[in-house]
Amino acid sequence: MSTRRLKVAHLYPELLNLYGDSGSILCLRRRMAWRGIDPVIDEVHLGDTPSFCDVDIAFIGGGSDREQRIVCERLLACRDELHAFVEDGGVLVAVCGGYQLLGHSYLMGDEKVQGLSLVDLYTDRGSPRLIGNVVVKSRISPQPIVGYENHGGRTHLGPDVEPLGRVLYGHGNDGVPDEAGVRHEGCLYKNVVGTYVHGPLLPKNPGVADYALSRALERRYGDGTLEPLDDAEELAANAAMVERLMSGKVLEDDHERPGARIR
């Protein structure tokens, strides 16, 4: 019988589930169970009052502007508790629309909407939408992070916020290279991972899934060690996608070409 358990709060899955984001919850459940860790999955729905007092990992998926506004209003009502969870080292994984909610504000049309101010970032909008496959090199994953991005938002990090990683292929936070010619994607703050990468994120990137699990175990039990799993199939799929993209074997539509391979 397992002596370890982790509780995952899946926030508003009926609204935030673009590109199979709920698959990330299935991935966490399986990777825990395979290791003998008891997975407790708590789905938080619109009529619920979320509490983070016994949560180890919170997950926020992606959605349209309408769904984002609804979820943000709900989470602002419990913002202080969610902020305390983050500051205490709680693991929070936020994808696309969920990522944008982490900051001080985001634009919905011409309206600036208040965000949760959990991370020092903000999101405005640009044209065209940043769409296509993406590859990101990140310190939190032994393999490049792969997936799909589709966002009109342009997310800007505060000076002390670490990006999730360096874009090798695709657009990233705003599609604009820095002074060194590097595009950045996502954010890392304490145990928060914010990203535009769908796909879903965690099944395609077991290293990211295990990063979240390890950080949660470290926080709860003081030991984040994870037994290795046989990820041969997942890693082969990851490597095949990286090779196809970086070699130019996957051709994006013309409007996506500005965010293609970074040399």
Side-chain angles (χ1 to χ4, degrees):
M1 185 173 181
S2 174
T3 59
R4 298 189 298 174
R5 65 184 289 275
L6 290 175
K7 183 173 181 179
V8 179
H10 187 186
L11 300 177
Y12 310 107
E14 69 270 38
L15 294 179
L16 302 180
N17 185 29
L18 286 180
Y19 305 114
D21 284 335
S22 62
S24 290
I25 300 299
L26 295 175
C27 176
L28 290 174
R29 183 196 296 269
R30 292 293 179 86
R31 295 185 75 79
M32 281 190 274
W34 289 335
R35 292 177 164 111
I37 302 167
D38 183 21
V40 180
I41 310 299
D42 180 23
E43 290 191 351
V44 178
H45 298 284
L46 284 177
D48 301 332
T49 301
S51 173
F52 300 92
C53 62
D54 61 346
V55 168
D56 300 293
I57 301 173
F59 181 85
I60 312 175
S64 70
D65 285 351
R66 173 184 174 275
E67 281 78 18
Q68 265 184 259
R69 181 190 286 273
I70 293 170
V71 168
C72 191
E73 289 174 352
R74 299 301 194 279
L75 291 178
L76 280 170
C78 61
R79 187 265 174 191
D80 288 348
E81 186 177 353
L82 182 54
H83 179 261
F85 170 77
V86 167
E87 291 301 309
D88 187 52
V91 177
L92 172 59
V93 180
V95 176
C96 199
Y99 171 33
Q100 294 176 358
L101 296 183
L102 302 181
H104 304 302
S105 64
Y106 60 96
L107 282 185
M108 184 177 293
D110 294 328
E111 179 187 1
K112 181 182 286 188
V113 179
Q114 179 185 355
L116 299 171
S117 292
L118 301 176
V119 180
D120 183 17
L121 60 86
Y122 70 94
T123 300
D124 53 24
R125 301 187 75 83
S127 182
R129 292 185 69 83
L130 304 181
I131 303 173
N133 294 292
V134 60
V135 180
V136 179
K137 181 176 179 59
S138 172
R139 69 171 177 82
I140 74 169
S141 175
Q143 299 78 35
I145 298 171
V146 299
Y148 187 79
E149 58 181 338
N150 182 353
H151 53 101
R154 306 297 200 265
T155 296
H156 309 279
L157 307 184
D160 297 324
V161 178
E162 179 185 358
L164 171 61
R166 174 178 179 268
V167 176
L168 303 181
Y169 186 103
H171 303 279
N173 283 333
D174 60 8
V176 178
D178 64 13
E179 297 83 355
V182 176
R183 294 189 181 104
H184 293 106
E185 207 290 316
C187 75
L188 294 173
Y189 172 73
K190 293 185 179 288
N191 287 331
V192 174
V193 177
T195 181
Y196 277 114
V197 180
H198 289 282
L201 171 67
L202 299 185
K204 285 190 172 184
N205 301 286
V208 180
D210 282 356
Y211 174 82
L213 292 174
S214 177
R215 301 309 299 156
L217 288 169
E218 175 70 28
R219 176 175 178 255
R220 178 167 288 275
Y221 295 106
D223 182 1
T225 304
L226 289 171
E227 298 83 354
L229 297 175
D230 181 3
D231 289 327
E233 292 186 7
E234 293 91 336
L235 297 182
N238 179 290
M241 194 62 192
V242 171
E243 193 277 331
R244 291 181 67 201
L245 291 171
M246 299 306 296
S247 67
K249 294 178 182 177
V250 174
L251 298 180
E252 308 287 3
D253 294 337
D254 288 343
H255 70 282
E256 296 166 358
R257 295 307 299 167
R261 176 179 39 183
I262 309 300
R263 292 189 181 276

